[in-house]
């Protein structure tokens, strides 16, 4: 038996210098930072990591704090269904998520933590001629930008996913699909913890249970974040608080075109490997994949009202199962294990808001609706670039808040997996 294991068993555990706690941020917050990031979800932590890694030397970004009103990765990072894909409808969306896929593929090595990144193919089912047309459209945009994606007919679908019920006798027979081979899943909490640990090792402070109550503004600059654990002055402030974006932005006088709705999901008991594809039907409002643990991870439409609440409902489960069983009648005896909800910040064009704001040193990462997880690495990396250099990276330009004033929307509703 390794000596380290014996020491651990004898109770030295994490107190021992051999087992330092993963995160040892100081008990007290500092009075001043170069950058304060509000929100210790995947996005905020990724931004901190890339700031520390890429801009400490070149731009002097050294004192970085990430604060969170609750615990690290406990918001939408822990509440999504971990799908990673780049098969978007617009060129802007496709290019952005293509970079995210690339970063995800290298993330385990980059952060020295197993992200359980598992490319397995993503199918968006088409039940109508109109949906087939959208599938072809998306495939053409995707291919044009070098993203592997194709519209396939029913016969090809039967070969790729023989588990699917392709009978004509269902209420919504399946005509074909958009097939995106690099579509993947990963372990969401590993993503948050991987970024947190790596950022922390470079000196980033992560203060949990530290709520931003207010943001002080003077002369069109955000001066400080007033928290439950003191006032943190900062040269630059970033908000990355999916689910609460409008509420926080209102503290600096920004009105966001966002409505916030709950998005529920659930997992089944674990079963032997059965489904090796991610299957989505925007018309039936369902998506399903099987995790490495064997659980079926499933979700559907957003709740039909605005609400800041993450309760689960029986109604959602009944609706979802009605459609899941139409696609996979074999699952009729499977039990559900857990159900939960996250909060989706929806913009009018179903694309996120990233980058600079009208306040000189206040940066925003918001409006992720139902696709924040899959953007974690690219958003973190490009937001860090934007914050450090004060220039908007090309990939972020289309997603500026100002687009709602200029009417330059990036319409992605047609590429949503989730019914809205
Ligand atoms: O956009 O792929 C997606 C998605 C699946 C579940 C929520 N969003």
């Amino acid at each position: 038996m390794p000596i380290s294991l014996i020491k651990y068993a004898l109770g030295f555990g994490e107190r021992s210098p051999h087992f330092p706690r993963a995160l040892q941020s100081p008990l007290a917050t500092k009075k001043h930072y170069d950058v304060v990031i509000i929100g210790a979800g995947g996005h905020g932590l990724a931004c901190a990591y890339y700031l520390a890694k890429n801009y400490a030397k070149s731009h002097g970004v050294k004192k970085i704090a990430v604060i969170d009103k609750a615990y690290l990765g406990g918001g939408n990072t822990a509440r999504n269904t971990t799908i990673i894909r780049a098969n978007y409808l617009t060129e802007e969306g496709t290019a952005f998520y293509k970079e995210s896929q690339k970063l995800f593929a290298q993330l385990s090595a980059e952060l020295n933590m197993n992200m359980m990144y598992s490319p397995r193919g993503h199918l968006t089912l088409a039940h109508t001629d109109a949906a087939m047309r959208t599938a072809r459209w998306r495939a053409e945009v995707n291919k044009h930008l070098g993203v592997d994606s194709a519209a396939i007919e029913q016969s090809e679908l039967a070969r790729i996913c023989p588990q699917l019920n392709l009978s004509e006798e269902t209420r919504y027979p399946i005509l074909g699909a958009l097939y995106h081979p690099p579509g993947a899943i990963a372990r969401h909490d590993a993503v948050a913890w991987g970024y947190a640990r790596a950022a922390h090792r470079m000196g980033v402070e992560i203060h949990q249970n530290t709520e931003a109550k207010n943001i002080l503004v003077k002369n069109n600059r955000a001066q400080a974040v007033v928290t439950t654990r003191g006032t943190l002055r900062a040269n630059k402030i970033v908000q990355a608080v999916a689910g609460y974006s409008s509420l926080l932005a209102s503290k600096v006088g920004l009105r966001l075109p966002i409505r916030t709705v709950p998005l529920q999901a659930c997992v089944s008991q674990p079963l032997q490997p059965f489904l090796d594809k991610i299957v989505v039907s925007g018309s039936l409002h369902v998506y399903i994949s099987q995790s490495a643990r064997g659980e079926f991870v499933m979700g559907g439409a957003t709740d039909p009202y605005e609400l800041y609440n993450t309760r689960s409902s029986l109604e959602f489960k009944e609706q979802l199962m009605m459609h899941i069983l139409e696609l996979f009648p074999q699952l009729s005896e499977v039990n559900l294990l857990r159900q939960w909800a996250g909060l989706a910040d929806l913009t009018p064009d179903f694309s996120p808001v990233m980058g600079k704001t009208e306040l000189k040193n206040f940066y925003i990462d918001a409006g992720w609706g139902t696709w924040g997880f899959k953007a974690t690495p690219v958003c973190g990396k490009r937001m860090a670039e934007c914050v450090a250099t004060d220039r908007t990276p090309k990939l972020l330009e289309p997603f500026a808040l100002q687009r709602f004033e200029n009417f330059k929307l990036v319409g992605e509703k047609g590429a949503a997996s989730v019914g809205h």
Side-chain angles (χ1 to χ4, degrees), residues 257 346-353 367 371 398-399 403-404 408-414:
L346 300 176
T347 59
D349 60 358
F350 292 79
S351 283
V353 175
W371 34 52
F399 303 107
R403 75 179 184 273
F404 298 104
K408 290 207 171 134
L409 302 191
V410 187
E412 282 291 3
K413 187 166 186 185

Side-chain angles (χ1 to χ4, degrees), residues 216-235:
L216 305 180
V217 178
K218 199 168 155 197
N219 299 333
N220 205 32
R221 289 184 75 87
Q223 307 276 326
V225 186
V226 181
T227 80
T228 45
R229 294 178 57 229
T231 296
L232 320 182
R233 304 197 80 78
N235 297 345

Side-chain angles (χ1 to χ4, degrees), residues 59-168:
H59 291 71
V61 185
K62 297 215 166 92
K63 283 164 44 189
I64 304 167
V66 186
I67 62 168
D68 200 287
K69 68 175 176 177
Y71 59 94
L72 181 168
N76 283 350
T77 301
R79 294 162 187 277
N80 66 85
T81 44
T82 81
I83 297 170
I84 298 159
R85 62 185 176 90
N87 57 354
Y88 279 73
L89 182 63
T90 65
E91 295 196 16
E92 297 87 343
T94 305
F96 179 75
Y97 288 97
K98 181 183 168 188
E99 178 163 306
S100 208
Q101 258 180 350
K102 199 166 139 211
L103 292 168
F104 256 121
Q106 304 154 352
L107 207 54
S108 297
E110 166 105 25
L111 302 178
N112 192 22
M113 187 183 281
N114 187 356
M115 299 291 140
M116 298 175 81
Y117 176 73
S118 169
R120 46 180 60 195
H122 181 282
L123 290 161
T124 308
L125 305 179
H127 306 260
T128 60
D129 289 338
M132 274 312 286
R133 180 175 161 273
T134 306
R136 287 191 202 99
W137 177 354
R138 281 170 71 181
E140 290 312 311
V141 174
N142 296 168
K143 280 188 265 189
H144 174 62
L145 287 156
V147 167
D148 189 2
S149 187
I152 58 170
E153 303 294 329
Q154 205 204 50
S155 51
E156 179 66 354
L157 183 56
R159 193 186 64 74
I160 292 174
C161 190
Q163 302 89 334
L164 257 178
N165 178 13
L166 291 173
S167 155
E168 303 270 301

